[in-house]
Amino acid sequence: MDRQMYHYATVSKALEELAEKGFTVDFNIESDRIKECSDCFEIVHIYRYEGASDPGDEATVYGIKSDKGEKGVYVSGDLSFSEDDAAKTLHELIIKGRQEQS
């Protein structure tokens, strides 16, 4: 597993930078794939945007790669307010990646 790279940027800047790196698939549209087969995906880049005054403005942009070679993005709001199962799955992948790097 590649080391997960953390960046801090606005959501639009993160999407722009990832697109320049070839991450073009919108995995938000295909979130069921992430939930059904988390082992089929690897998180390569993580961009965090932290709202200056409102924690509800926080967002995470994931640059992820599928086992089929697809590179794309997934945008998630603040996890503490999210009922998004795909975002929770990606968060678990982050933890798994950290444990494997230890």
Side-chain angles (χ1 to χ4, degrees):
M1 172 180 256
D2 292 334
R3 183 164 174 78
Q4 297 162 344
M5 307 243 344
Y6 287 81
H7 312 275
Y8 293 85
T10 64
V11 172
S12 59
K13 182 68 174 166
L15 293 172
E16 180 183 309
E17 288 180 14
L18 286 168
E20 289 172 3
K21 295 176 183 180
F23 290 80
T24 56
V25 176
D26 182 352
F27 283 114
N28 283 81
I29 295 171
E30 302 182 36
S31 62
D32 287 342
R33 286 179 56 198
I34 295 170
K35 293 183 284 187
E36 292 167 4
C37 185
S38 63
D39 289 339
C40 298
F41 294 91
E42 174 185 357
I43 298 170
V44 182
H45 296 278
I46 301 168
Y47 289 79
R48 293 273 306 148
Y49 172 73
E50 298 177 1
S53 60
D54 183 0
D57 288 342
E58 293 179 6
T60 304
V61 179
Y62 299 95
I64 57 179
K65 187 167 48 172
S66 78
D67 59 357
K68 297 176 182 173
E70 301 164 292
K71 293 185 344 182
V73 297
Y74 187 88
V75 181
S76 171
D78 178 27
L79 282 177
S80 65
F81 299 109
S82 177
E83 294 299 320
D84 185 345
D85 289 337
K88 291 176 185 174
T89 301
L90 289 171
H91 186 69
E92 290 168 8
L93 283 176
I94 294 169
I95 294 168
K96 179 180 172 187
R98 287 179 183 161
Q99 291 170 346
E100 289 175 358
Q101 292 171 13
S102 300

